[in-house]
Amino acid sequence: MGSIKKFQVTFDCAEPERVARFWCEVLGYVAPPPPKGFDTWDDFHSSRSPEDRGAWFACSDPEGDGPRLYFQRVPEGKVVKNRVHLDVRVGTGLVGEERLATLEAECTRLMALGAVRVKLLTADEENESCILMQDIEGNEFCLD
């Protein structure tokens, strides 16, 4: 068997820094400091050509365990279902009402950040309940 590889998850979006900062709040990730030679990200963006300003942003797990998230601006909007779907694990090990209460509390927190609740998928014989949501640009993800 080969070695485990580190990986990055890339999001295509319209406003990379805005979407990245949303996901920082969702996951407890952190944004990197501005590039060397710049005091702020605004200073960095101002130094770029107009078409390159805000073209990308990234964030990462402060503990270094989770994958880096990279956000890149693309000209086209989201047309249909996104092809990468994150399950945000907030109810691991919980079942029934305790799980639902935890999912609902996190859903409420994320809606205050601009997320949209799509629907509650209730438990069946195989799966526990989860909440289908959308981020601030309409990408679907689940609270699981």
Side-chain angles (χ1 to χ4, degrees):
M1 178 151 171
S3 63
I4 302 290
K5 307 290 191 276
K6 297 268 184 189
F7 65 94
Q8 167 176 285
V9 178
T10 299
F11 287 72
D12 289 347
C13 53
E15 297 180 72
E17 185 170 350
R18 180 174 172 253
V19 179
R21 292 193 184 279
F22 169 83
W23 282 101
C24 282
E25 292 295 324
V26 172
L27 301 173
Y29 271 37
V30 294
K36 194 172 197 148
F38 297 94
D39 293 329
T40 67
W41 277 102
D42 285 340
D43 291 343
F44 172 74
H45 293 313
S46 295
S47 75
R48 312 284 290 172
S49 66
E51 62 273 4
D52 289 338
R53 286 184 190 142
W56 62 270
F57 206 78
C59 61
S60 59
D61 176 353
E63 303 294 321
D65 296 328
R68 178 178 188 253
L69 303 181
Y70 180 79
F71 301 83
Q72 63 186 2
R73 186 174 57 228
V74 295
E76 68 278 355
K78 180 179 175 285
V79 178
V80 197
K81 184 175 170 62
N82 46 296
R83 297 182 69 152
V84 174
H85 178 108
L86 301 183
D87 291 332
V88 181
R89 309 301 304 269
V90 297
T92 302
L94 303 176
V95 296
E97 293 302 315
E98 183 181 18
R99 180 181 178 86
L100 281 174
T102 299
L103 296 176
E104 292 292 353
E106 185 66 359
C107 178
T108 299
R109 183 181 82 84
L110 299 182
M111 287 173 54
L113 298 172
V116 174
R117 179 191 181 115
V118 177
K119 67 180 171 180
L120 171 66
L121 302 166
T122 55
D124 57 27
E125 289 83 36
E126 294 181 39
N127 302 297
E128 283 296 330
S129 296
C130 66
I131 299 176
L132 177 62
M133 300 192 71
Q134 292 177 335
D135 74 9
I136 57 177
E137 285 198 1
N139 296 304
E140 292 183 354
F141 67 98
C142 281
L143 294 179
D144 181 25

